[in-house]
Structures are given as C-alpha cells and as structure tokens.
Amino acid sequence: MRLHNTGSANSAGLFTLSLRWVIGWTYFSAFWRRLVLENKLIPDEAGYIGEKFNHFLPNALGIKPVIEYLVSNPDLLQISMISFTIIEAVLGLFLILGLYTRLVSIGIIMLATGILLGSGWLGTTCLDEWQIGVLGIAGGFTLFLSGSDDFSVDNYLYHKGIFKTKMDNLCRLDSIIMPRIYNRTFILISSIAIFSITLFTNQYFHGGVFGKLHNKSVKPKIEISNIRYHDDEVVFQLFRTEGADVYGSFLIKIEILDQYGNTVKIIDQKELSNLPENKIRNYYIAKIKSGKHSLVLPLGAKADLSIDTHGLVIEDNYSIKLTDISGIEWQEKINI
C-alpha cells in the first residue's frame, strides 16, 4: 500500500502541527536562552555552555573522543558552541514556520542523536537527557513522514507554484505531498531501528530494561590515577566521572596513609580552600579549583594535583585517600 497524498493539503502535517511547533521551539529556545535572555557563549563566565558540554564527557557513548578534543581546545570549543547554537536556532525557526520541514527534520534527528549519545546518562531526579534524546529522534522521524500542512510556509510556496514546479523530486522536501518512497516496510524498519536505539541506550546508560536500575547523576565519583612521587612531592590525577552536573564534588580532606592505614599526611579543608593555582594543572574547560570551603571538582573536570610532603618519605603501598563533604571516600594505592 502506497502512502501518497495527491491533494494540495497534507492531513498528516495538520495532525502533527503541535508537535512541529513544540519541537521547533525546543531547539530554537537553545539560541534564545544562550544569547537573548543572557549570554552563555562567553568563556570563563558563569553559565558558559562549553562547561556544560564538558559535563557530557565521562560517560558519553561513541562520541567521547570528539567531546574530549573540543574541551581540550577552548578556542575551537567556543567556535563549536556558537555554530551549534546557530544551527539549533535555524532548524528550530524553520520548523516553527514550516519551511523545508522534511529536510529540517533530518537535522533535528541528527541533533537529538548527538544529545542522546553525549548526555543520555545525565539526569539527577529522572532520565532527563535520555528522554530528550529518544523523543527528539522519534519526533523528528514523525515530522519527516508527515511534513507540514496548511499552516506553514511550505504550503504557501506550494500554492504559489514554487515548490510544485522546482521541488518535485528529492523526497518531496517541500513537505506538502507525501513522497512515494514512504511505504509500510520503510516505516516499519525505521520504527524498529528507533525503538531498538531507545531500548539499547536505556539499558546502556541506566539499566532500564533488565538488571539493576542505576543513575550516574546522583552520587559523585572521582577516579584517582597516574600517582607519582618525586622531589618531596606527590602528583596524582583526579577525574570527576559521575554525580550531578549542576554542582561540583567538594573535597574537604586529602590524606596519605601508610601501609597499615595510618594517616601520615593530611591536607585539611582550610588548606584545600587555599590550594595555590600552580598546584593544579587542569586539562579541560571544566576546572578543578579552590572554593570558599573546599576543593571544588565539577563534573567532567580532570587535573593533576601536586601535594608537598615536606620531607615525608613515601614508601611502596602507601595510599591516597579523598573525602567528599557528603562523607563519600575514595582511595588508591601509591606504587613507587
């Protein structure tokens, strides 16, 4: 059975009018929030969107190298954030107006896929980013099938004869006439693929299909690695990989323990809140830095920390222990 509308109006596009407007505003509002309501495209200022992008890094699926490259190169990251914002603005506005609806819906699917793969694991109280991603893909595909309707620029141009004579091919990007390639098999296979992506990512990010449900945005997690000892100084790498993206992990104590678990060196809350900048070497745009009452580690931040031992001899099987203000502790052995 062919799904082909030969009339001048597309009823399917009329049924999806509210969906087109809502999805259009969802993407256009990214531009509105970042530039009109307040400027979030300025590096080193509170709310910079590049730092939010850095939050995606630790558990992104498939695109982690791309994210890491961008957050490691601040100038390129800013250009990318500006470009993404412009693209979202154009696609969102075109969707609201109903201009090249089917072509724009392909862009919406691509943006939603990027959101899903990059930040589908985030969501403090529920599966926020994952839901935005999968619904964006499904909604974009629905608009690709339905096109627009009487309430669209596409329809106006169609009746003016512009699209009817010049855009009669290429999957009917004028959005008014349903293209002949859309048969039941195409729709079924595409829908199965989208549903499969939904189930796979739900399980991968959250264990939402079987097994134990988990949420990596609830408790902070810090990885300790690359521990080195030389010249009365212990250098180690910290990487904040889990927890809420809206606030940092707050370290209030760093200890060096001997092989028996006894504390031989302690850096307390006051010292951490005044740790010199030359003792912290950050890798990404999200930076580990001293706060008012602790050492603050934003989500996705990675840095080398240097701790003076002041003559203390570090032996094999000593350990570094971190304590968060929440009471969570992390520990890693020092192998000389």
Side-chain angles (χ1 to χ4, degrees):
M1 176 180 178
R2 298 287 185 182
L3 300 178
H4 183 228
N5 187 350
T6 57
S8 60
N10 182 3
S11 297
L14 180 62
F15 298 154
T16 59
L17 177 61
S18 62
L19 181 65
R20 174 164 63 83
W21 282 351
V22 170
I23 293 179
W25 174 253
T26 299
Y27 286 91
F28 182 79
S29 67
F31 159 80
W32 194 258
R33 294 191 313 271
R34 294 172 199 165
L35 280 177
V36 178
L37 299 183
E38 61 179 303
N39 195 336
K40 294 186 177 182
L41 293 173
I42 303 176
D44 299 324
E45 289 198 7
Y48 175 48
I49 190 63
E51 186 166 345
K52 174 69 175 178
F53 190 68
N54 197 158
H55 296 162
F56 299 169
L57 175 62
N59 297 288
L61 174 60
I63 60 173
K64 185 182 293 188
V66 176
I67 298 175
E68 184 170 26
Y69 179 77
L70 290 176
V71 299
S72 300
N73 297 273
D75 292 340
L76 186 58
L77 175 64
Q78 186 185 23
I79 293 173
S80 299
M81 293 300 97
I82 293 173
S83 300
F84 285 139
T85 299
I86 293 173
I87 291 171
E88 287 176 308
V90 171
L91 293 182
L93 182 61
F94 274 36
L95 209 57
I96 292 171
L97 295 175
L99 177 60
Y100 289 105
T101 305
R102 286 200 170 94
L103 179 62
V104 168
S105 68
I106 297 174
I108 295 298
I109 292 171
M110 294 173 66
L111 287 177
T113 301
I115 292 172
L116 176 64
L117 297 179
S119 60
W121 64 280
L122 287 168
T124 308
T125 57
C126 60
L127 313 185
D128 301 328
E129 302 293 339
W130 174 78
Q131 291 174 336
I132 292 172
V134 295
L135 290 175
I137 294 173
F141 178 65
T142 300
L143 293 175
F144 181 70
L145 294 178
S146 70
S148 53
D149 62 340
D150 289 326
F151 307 104
S152 67
V153 176
D154 286 337
N155 189 65
Y156 172 79
L157 295 177
Y158 174 81
H159 284 291
K160 287 291 183 179
I162 298 175
F163 279 160
K164 185 176 181 181
T165 57
K166 296 182 180 181
M167 296 293 294
D168 207 35
N169 299 310
L170 197 57
C171 298
R172 276 297 186 181
L173 299 181
D174 53 68
S175 306
I176 301 304
I177 302 299
M178 182 68 76
R180 294 183 178 276
I181 65 168
Y182 297 156
N183 55 38
R184 291 182 175 181
T185 302
F186 170 80
I187 296 173
L188 177 61
I189 293 175
S190 300
S191 298
I192 289 173
I194 293 172
F195 187 55
S196 298
I197 291 172
T198 299
L199 295 180
F200 171 73
T201 53
N202 190 206
Q203 176 62 30
Y204 181 86
F205 289 130
H206 305 288
V209 180
F210 58 85
K212 186 177 180 180
L213 187 69
H214 57 266
N215 188 341
K216 295 180 179 180
S217 298
V218 176
K219 296 180 180 180
K221 179 181 178 181
I222 298 174
E223 296 179 356
I224 310 170
S225 62
N226 298 337
I227 305 173
R228 308 178 296 281
Y229 171 61
H230 59 85
D231 298 331
D232 289 333
E233 189 176 61
V234 175
V235 182
F236 54 95
Q237 188 176 99
L238 299 182
F239 184 25
R240 164 93 185 280
T241 59
E242 294 183 14
D245 56 325
V246 292
Y247 56 84
S249 171
F250 305 100
L251 287 188
I252 58 172
K253 186 166 54 177
I254 297 179
E255 299 172 84
I256 297 179
L257 311 178
D258 65 17
Q259 62 266 44
Y260 305 108
N262 301 313
T263 301
V264 295
K265 171 73 177 178
I266 183 170
I267 299 91
D268 62 17
Q269 190 170 353
K270 183 178 180 181
E271 289 180 271
L272 288 173
S273 64
N274 293 283
L275 196 66
E277 290 185 7
N278 63 1
K279 296 296 183 181
I280 308 173
R281 178 177 175 269
N282 282 287
Y283 286 84
Y284 306 142
I285 196 73
K287 302 184 186 305
I288 296 176
K289 56 187 176 183
S290 296
K292 188 174 182 180
H293 302 292
S294 64
L295 188 68
V296 183
L297 284 73
L299 180 61
K302 179 190 284 188
D304 290 333
L305 261 63
S306 301
I307 302 297
D308 294 324
T309 58
H310 299 296
L312 173 68
V313 178
I314 304 297
E315 299 180 4
D316 202 23
N317 290 325
Y318 274 35
S319 300
I320 291 177
K321 181 180 177 181
L322 311 179
T323 303
D324 185 76
I325 197 170
S326 65
I328 299 175
E329 298 177 342
W330 302 276
Q331 187 170 325
E332 190 69 30
K333 284 189 176 296
I334 303 174
N335 295 311
I336 305 301

